[in-house]
Amino acid sequence: MGEPLLDVLSAPNGLDVEVHDVVILDPEDETGAYAGDLVLLIGARGRIAARSVRMAGRRGACAVAVKVDSDEEAEVLRAAARDTGVALLAVPPDVRWEQLQSLCRGVVDDAHLFSGTDPGESAGDLFSLAQTTATLTRGLVSIEDAANRVLAYSSGEEVDELRRLSVLGRQGPEQYLALLREWGVFQRLRAGEEVVRIDEHPELGIRRRLAVGIHAGRQPLGTIWVQEGSQPLAEQAEEALLGAARIAALHLLRHRTEVTAGLRLREDLLAGLLEGRVEAAALSDGVPVDRDRPAVVVVFTLRPENAERSESELKRRRMTNLVSVHAAAYRRKALVTAIGSRVYALLPELPRRSAEAPVLALTRKIVAAARSASDITMQGAVGSVVDSLAEVPQSRGEADRILDAMARDLAMDVATISDVRARVLVSETLAVLRDTPRLRDPRIARLAEHDARHGSELALSLIAYLDAFGDVRAAAERLHIHPNTLRYRVRRAVSVSELDLGDPNERLFAHLQLLMERGG
């Protein structure tokens, strides 16, 4: 990797050293094994760092990277490295650890990817992308490099002779490639992002096809082909194919070890920005995005009926691919990453006006595509459009709160803050009550204790009464009890707690705290 990120201060065993993984070591938490690992030593310099360098070396680390401020500090660390035979890499003070980690891990992952195999045989992410694209287009997909070698393909039946030979031979048959050249197909694919339609040729055993070139700027990287199977291609097949080509370009760049342009760096930088760990400048330095133009965050999650099944992890990966393809088709510079069980799409460089409506339409299209083209069901939440990348964490926070509110109303597929504003405000108020016990009214706790001691349901009855805005009949019907029973329980609840329901402020606060105690 070299400058400006790393400098070799000491290499007792030379530079030809195998690296198994990249790990972070905090001197205050020195647990874990480091055999064969590159250790990034954070939070320590000078003599304190020297102790950790020796410890990592004794545990078999292949190299330790540490921030170095001065020549004197470097000499102390060199001595520690020589003592244990570990390589020592100096990191300039202004380098961000999260950026260095993502770059190092990308290099190591690519090395693992290519180790002892043909690149086309190990491109698992490309196979996943091919399968997602096949689902969206309702066709049979293959991804080829610039030399027409098959790198990945989707599963499916009804393959024609061209596809069969291409997949079995790992390369398209020369006879058909010559025809495509004669028809000018390759010239059009290399020229730009045009989706090329290729008619059916029964005499050649070839069915109808769509194709699109994969490009990095003006450089052609390969092609994605979609063969029509037993059913017609989807209406949105061309749009999906365009998005898939843009995602495939990132995969192919990563396979060429151009890590700074690879998927992992983009995903790590985006996750860091969303979580407030990385500044907008770091993202725009790593990815060519204008940080001073409007942007929005959209978040997706699987519905509970998907998440509870054993194949949920597979479905999450498919959801990520589906979101990535649609987002890339909408905005070339769209970024997608998964954090936990949620998938986030950052749509940058939006127009200054009227950005929300197209983004909302895109979100609905993604959720609908998941429902119609696969067996996964999703919910999507759209954050507010913000003026710059620096405000993206605010859009992400709002999108998360919207999705949290939607979890209590599974009838909603897609929402913005205007759809669930009241629920979000109530939810955040309840969170304040949960986190600040001194604000709570002890009379509500007294009511809960009475119910627990006597097996009564006074608190539940009072919630139903307040939810119904004092409509006794509606509340009683909801609880499946007689209205007179509910009237008695409300009077008893007031007597036990000594609440004054005639005071609107006290009534509102009691309602909120009762909801908190109930867990909703």
Side-chain angles (χ1 to χ4, degrees):
M1 296 178 62
E3 294 182 355
L5 293 174
L6 291 172
D7 185 27
V8 179
L9 290 187
S10 178
N13 298 318
L15 297 179
D16 189 13
V17 179
E18 185 173 342
V19 181
H20 295 162
D21 200 359
V22 181
V23 299
I24 283 183
L25 169 62
D26 186 333
E28 295 183 2
D29 182 18
E30 297 181 343
T31 59
Y34 307 112
D37 292 341
L38 165 60
V39 176
L40 308 184
L41 180 57
I42 67 171
R45 302 185 188 184
R47 297 190 181 279
I48 296 176
R51 181 175 65 85
S52 295
V53 169
R54 288 190 178 91
M55 184 271 295
R58 286 193 295 268
R59 292 188 181 180
C62 63
V64 179
V66 60
K67 290 195 174 182
V68 179
D69 292 319
S70 65
D71 291 340
E72 179 184 2
E73 199 172 271
E75 196 53 45
V76 172
L77 294 170
R78 276 196 190 96
R82 293 191 198 104
D83 288 346
T84 54
V86 65
L88 180 66
L89 308 177
V91 180
D94 57 346
V95 172
R96 291 185 177 88
W97 282 115
E98 62 268 16
Q99 182 176 4
L100 180 60
Q101 181 196 26
S102 66
L103 290 169
C104 290
R105 188 173 293 281
V107 172
V108 172
D109 286 351
D110 279 348
H112 285 312
L113 183 69
F114 288 108
S115 179
T117 64
D118 180 90
E121 294 177 352
S122 57
D125 289 342
L126 281 176
F127 274 88
S128 178
L129 177 63
Q131 196 63 48
T132 297
T133 308
T135 301
L136 294 174
T137 60
R138 293 206 295 264
L140 300 164
V141 173
S142 61
I143 302 174
E144 298 181 359
D145 65 12
N148 302 115
R149 291 176 299 208
V150 175
L151 300 176
Y153 52 89
S154 65
S155 60
E157 301 177 356
E158 302 292 334
V159 299
D160 64 10
E161 187 66 6
L162 169 62
R163 179 177 171 83
R164 187 181 73 82
L165 291 175
S166 297
V167 171
L168 292 179
R170 309 294 286 175
Q171 189 171 1
E174 180 55 37
Q175 175 189 10
Y176 186 64
L177 297 181
L179 287 174
L180 292 179
R181 284 191 285 270
E182 181 183 330
W183 297 335
V185 171
F186 288 127
Q187 182 178 358
R188 293 165 66 188
L189 291 174
R190 286 193 297 268
E193 287 190 320
E194 175 191 4
V195 176
V196 179
R197 303 172 188 83
I198 303 166
D199 293 334
E200 182 178 19
H201 289 270
E203 72 281 7
L204 298 174
I206 295 170
R207 299 192 179 191
R208 179 192 174 208
R209 269 174 172 68
L210 297 177
V212 67
I214 304 170
H215 297 268
R218 296 182 179 179
Q219 180 185 9
L221 300 177
T223 312
I224 301 182
W225 302 86
V226 180
Q227 177 217 306
E228 190 171 64
S230 58
Q231 57 181 330
L233 295 175
E235 184 179 343
Q236 303 296 327
E238 293 190 17
E239 181 181 2
L241 192 56
L242 179 61
R246 293 172 177 175
I247 297 299
L250 301 175
H251 284 287
L252 294 179
L253 284 172
R254 180 179 176 187
H255 295 161
R256 292 182 174 200
T257 68
E258 295 179 12
V259 181
T260 55
L263 284 174
R264 184 177 291 279
L265 176 61
R266 292 164 63 99
E267 292 171 359
D268 287 351
L269 287 173
L270 175 56
L273 179 65
L274 294 176
E275 294 174 339
R277 297 182 287 103
V278 171
E279 296 177 0
L283 179 66
S284 59
D285 287 344
V287 182
V289 176
D290 188 341
R291 60 185 173 185
D292 295 321
R293 290 184 60 187
V296 68
V297 174
V298 185
V299 59
F300 299 88
T301 191
L302 293 172
R303 284 178 170 274
E305 59 264 28
N306 297 275
E308 293 173 358
R309 298 175 185 172
S310 59
E311 66 269 20
S312 60
E313 183 56 38
L314 175 61
K315 290 189 174 184
R316 271 192 284 272
R317 289 199 296 271
R318 288 167 56 194
M319 174 174 66
T320 303
N321 276 331
L322 189 145
V323 172
S324 297
V325 167
H326 280 84
Y330 177 73
R331 274 286 180 278
R332 174 186 294 278
K333 296 181 180 179
L335 300 170
V336 176
T337 191
I339 301 177
S341 62
R342 296 183 172 184
V343 174
Y344 296 86
L346 171 63
L347 305 176
E349 300 185 359
L350 297 177
R352 290 283 173 188
R353 296 182 179 179
S354 307
E356 183 176 309
V359 172
L360 185 57
L362 171 68
T363 307
R364 290 187 175 126
K365 179 188 293 185
I366 292 173
V367 171
R371 186 188 305 112
S372 63
S374 66
D375 60 346
I376 58 176
T377 53
M378 300 157 45
Q379 287 182 308
V382 182
S384 291
V385 177
V386 293
D387 291 333
S388 66
L389 287 186
E391 300 172 77
V392 158
Q394 300 172 25
S395 183
R396 181 260 172 121
E398 183 175 278
D400 274 335
R401 291 193 293 273
I402 295 167
L403 203 57
D404 290 340
M406 293 171 66
R408 292 186 287 277
D409 185 354
L410 296 181
M412 303 184 75
D413 286 333
V414 175
T416 64
I417 189 64
S418 60
D419 299 315
V420 294
R421 190 182 306 276
R423 296 179 207 177
V424 170
L425 291 175
V426 170
S427 178
E428 294 188 359
T429 303
L430 298 185
V432 171
L433 280 175
R434 275 191 293 271
D435 297 338
T436 319
R438 62 181 178 79
L439 292 179
R440 301 176 199 166
D441 190 332
R443 293 175 294 180
I444 301 298
R446 187 188 311 158
L447 186 61
E449 291 168 3
H450 179 278
D451 279 345
R453 195 165 54 247
H454 296 88
S456 56
E457 296 183 339
L458 301 183
L460 182 64
S461 301
L462 186 54
I463 290 175
Y465 174 77
L466 294 172
D467 280 347
F469 204 56
D471 187 331
V472 172
R473 290 193 176 277
E477 183 176 343
R478 180 178 172 185
L479 294 174
H480 306 291
I481 60 176
H482 194 278
N484 287 339
T485 302
L486 179 63
R487 290 188 182 95
Y488 167 77
R489 289 183 182 178
V490 170
R491 288 196 300 270
R492 183 66 179 145
V494 170
S495 174
V496 169
S497 64
E498 299 181 357
L499 289 167
D500 180 8
L501 297 185
D503 183 327
N505 292 324
E506 195 166 311
R507 184 171 64 243
L508 172 61
F509 191 80
H511 195 183
L512 289 170
Q513 190 169 331
L514 284 165
L515 291 173
M516 183 208 72
E517 297 283 357
R518 188 183 64 179

